Amino acid sequence: MDRQFRCFASAAFGMEGLISTELKRLGASAVTADNGGVLFDCSLIRLFEFNLRMHFSDRLFIILSDTVCRSFEDLYQAVYGIDWSFCFTGKEAINISCKCTRSTLMSQRDCQSVAKKAIIEKTKKPTGLQVFPESGAPLPIHISVRNDNTRILLNTSGDALSRRGYRT
């Protein structure tokens, strides 16, 4: 059976209800509205389908970790504790974005640096690499820290879904 992932669909303010209804209609399970989006469970194949069919969500994420972090050590341990083998081989470009709101950890750059160090340290041994070229496809990771609740997310959509079809 396909592995189920806890996922998050980000939303503009007030769109959570529409996204929740849309996810239920498309067949997502355990759909619940959350601050800034909607939580749901699905397989990777279904997540791919949702990325193609969603109308109201900005981006779809896989939740890699959802924990409380009050220090950079807590953040390091949270990122280090993730099994990166399913999405990271050591060649991908690690792109970490971060948003901190009303938290002990307020430095976005420091959070990005700590998270990147944890990912590299975690994958050194299994891959046997000492140098990570970051020349491959991007690995877009988003860290959201709100009231010390830290959610580490893997972006499965790339650019915003609402911008599909627009020319640059």
Side-chain angles (χ1 to χ4, degrees):
M1 184 166 174
D2 241 356
R3 179 178 169 194
Q4 293 287 306
F5 291 94
R6 189 70 176 149
C7 300
F8 180 75
S10 65
F13 181 73
M15 299 291 281
E16 293 90 347
L18 287 170
I19 294 170
S20 178
T21 303
E22 186 174 40
L23 282 167
K24 289 175 185 174
R25 183 180 52 79
L26 291 171
S29 60
V31 178
T32 56
D34 192 43
N35 196 358
V38 178
L39 297 166
F40 63 100
D41 292 337
C42 72
S43 66
L44 284 178
I45 292 169
R46 298 291 291 161
L47 189 59
F48 176 75
E49 291 174 16
F50 295 165
N51 268 302
L52 293 174
R53 296 195 173 118
M54 294 291 291
H55 294 99
F56 304 111
S57 178
D58 290 331
R59 288 181 175 84
L60 301 178
F61 299 94
I62 294 174
I63 299 175
L64 301 173
S65 176
D66 199 353
T67 186
V68 174
C69 294
R70 292 190 175 92
S71 69
F72 290 115
E73 179 61 28
D74 292 344
L75 177 62
Y76 181 89
Q77 292 303 324
V79 175
Y80 192 85
I82 296 169
D83 177 21
W84 293 99
S85 63
F86 85 97
C87 63
F88 185 64
T89 63
K91 296 181 179 92
E92 294 83 4
I94 304 169
N95 297 337
I96 300 175
S97 61
C98 183
K99 186 172 184 180
C100 303
T101 310
R102 291 183 242 127
S103 300
T104 307
L105 302 177
M106 286 301 292
S107 173
Q108 295 173 3
R109 286 189 182 182
D110 289 341
C111 289
Q112 291 168 325
S113 176
V114 167
K116 189 169 186 173
K117 181 178 180 181
I119 293 168
I120 289 173
E121 290 298 321
K122 175 76 175 211
T123 54
K124 271 186 181 178
K125 196 172 190 178
T127 61
L129 296 172
Q130 292 301 314
V131 177
F132 292 82
E134 295 195 50
S135 58
L139 180 69
I141 299 163
H142 181 71
I143 300 172
S144 173
V145 185
R146 169 179 242 138
N147 297 328
D148 294 334
N149 294 318
T150 305
R151 191 174 281 166
I152 302 165
L153 308 160
L154 176 64
N155 183 349
T156 64
S157 302
D159 292 334
L161 295 175
S162 61
R163 301 297 297 168
R164 287 182 289 196
Y166 287 88
R167 294 185 197 165
T168 56

